Amino acid sequence: MAHDPVAQDDHLRSRFRALDSFLFAYQSLWRPRPFTHLQLPWESRYPELAGWLRQRSLSEAEIAHNRPEQLDAPFPFPQLAAEAVELSSVAALPAFNLPTVAPRMSVDVPGRKWQQIEAFASRLEFTRTPEHWLDWCAGKGHLGRRLTHQDQSLTCLERDPKLVQAGHQLSDRLNINATHVQQDVMADDAWRRLRPHHTPVALHACGDLHVQLMRIATRVRCAQVAIAPCCYNRIDTEQYQPLSIEAQASALKLSRDDLGLPLSETVTAGARVRRQRDTSMARRLAFDLLQRQLRNTDDYLPTPSLPVAWLDKPFADYCRDLGALKDLPPIPEQDWSALEAAGWERLAQVRNLELVRNLFRRPLELWLVLDRALYLQERHYKVRVGTFCDSHLTPRNLLLIAQLD
C-alpha cells in the first residue's frame, strides 16, 4: 500500500530510519557492481540465486530491468523485493487542473520534457499564491513560463549565455513578464538572486545544483520551494555529505559511485542507442577478461568513455587500441571471435546479476530525498514528498514541496 504523500514531522523521520536500516543491512548485496567483479561476494552465500540469474538471457534481463520486484527468483530475492517495494512506496501528490495555455508555449520544447513540466506544474499547491517564480537552472525558462500567470513575475537563472538569450527572446515573444539572468548558481554571489517573496522551482537540477538551491532558499527564508531532484552523483566530493541531522548520524556512508545506483533505471533510450550501449558494454567486458589475463590479476581496470565510432572498429583493433590507451604491452594474437562471444555472455550475466542491485534503486533514492526533506524540516519548513508523474515519463519522479511553518 502506498504511503501518504503528505509526509510530516515524525513520519518523515521514521520512514528514513526504516530505509536506513534496510540499506545498511543489505549493503553487501547492492554495493558491489557485477560489471567490475567476475564473482560477486554474495554469490557464495546465495548460490541458488546466483546460478539462476547467471543462466538467464540478455533479453530476459532487459524485460525485468524496470520491474525487478516482479521477478520470480530464488531466495532471498522475493523477500528483498517485497521489503524494498513496501519501504519505497510513495503516493502521487494531488493534482489540480492547470490553466490552459496557447499551444505555441510548448513549440520549442521536446514532447517528453513538456509532459514532465505539465505534470510538475500540476502538483504545485501552496497555501499562498506565488507572486514571483524563480526558475533555478532554467535553461530557456520553459518551466517558469508554464507556471507564470497574470500578475505574477518570473526570474530565470541560467549559466549558459546562449540559453539566457534564447529564453529572453521566447519570453518576449510569448509576452511573459520574465527576467532572464546569466548566473552560475554555484558561485558565491548566487544567494543575492533570491528573496523571501520568491518561489524557487527546480525540475531535475542535478546533484550539487539542487542542494545549493535548498541551502540558499532556506538561508534567505523563501516562503516556499519545490524541487524534483536528479543525478545525485553529480557532486564535487568523493563521498556523499549528508544534509540532515538524521542522515549525518547514520552508519551508512555513501560514495559517489553508490549515488549512481538510482540512475541506472532507464526508460527513454531508443533501439539504436540500446544496441550501441550493449555492444559497447559487451566489448568492455570482453576486454576486461583479456586484461585480467594479460596483467595476471583479478582486478578490474577502469577504461575511459570512448567515442561511438570505436564500435565500428574490428574487435581486435578495438582491444589493441584500448590496450594502448591503458599503457598495456602489445596484445598478442587471440581467438578474437571467442573472446567477443565471451563478452556478450558476460553481459547477459552482468545484467541479470544487476537485478539484485536494482531492488535497492528506489529505496536508496528515497533515502536521499528524505535526507533533503528532513534538512528542510529542520529549518522550519513543512514538507510534502510524493510523485508528480508515472515512472515511464521519468524515473526521477519524486517531488519535494516545502513551505515555511
Side-chain angles (χ1 to χ4, degrees), residues 291-365:
Q291 68 82 15
R292 288 174 195 256
Q293 176 192 320
L294 294 173
R295 294 168 63 226
N296 196 26
T297 176
D298 200 20
D299 292 330
Y300 176 72
L301 180 68
T303 53
S305 202
L306 300 169
V308 174
W310 274 58
L311 300 181
D312 296 330
K313 299 183 181 194
F315 180 60
D317 292 348
Y318 173 95
C319 288
R320 288 189 170 118
D321 292 348
L322 187 49
L325 209 58
K326 296 300 296 183
D327 295 323
L328 296 183
I331 297 174
E333 194 58 35
Q334 306 286 318
D335 185 340
W336 297 110
S337 59
L339 181 60
E340 190 168 17
W344 280 100
E345 184 182 341
R346 195 167 159 218
L347 177 60
Q349 293 180 354
V350 163
R351 285 273 170 75
N352 279 289
L353 289 165
E354 279 174 346
L355 296 173
V356 176
R357 289 189 88 220
N358 292 351
L359 293 176
F360 296 88
R361 282 185 306 219
R362 194 62 159 185
L364 180 55
E365 179 166 23

Side-chain angles (χ1 to χ4, degrees), residues 56 59 67 90 110 144 149-150 154 158 178 219 258 292 358 361 391:
R56 284 163 45 87
S59 59
R67 292 287 178 268
V90 179
H149 301 292
Q150 295 168 342
L154 167 65
E158 170 56 47
R219 196 198 324 170
D258 293 332
R292 288 174 195 256
N358 292 351
R361 282 185 306 219
S391 60

Side-chain angles (χ1 to χ4, degrees), residues 5 10 16 24 43 57 104 120 155 168 192-193 215 227 240 289 326 330 344 349 356 381 388 398 405:
D10 290 342
F16 178 86
F24 186 78
E43 290 190 70
S57 69
R104 62 199 181 109
F120 181 97
T155 297
H168 176 70
R192 298 179 186 277
R193 302 293 183 186
R215 293 191 191 284
I227 298 171
Y240 178 64
L289 292 171
K326 296 300 296 183
W344 280 100
Q349 293 180 354
V356 176
Y381 284 79
F388 68 93
L398 290 170
D405 242 340

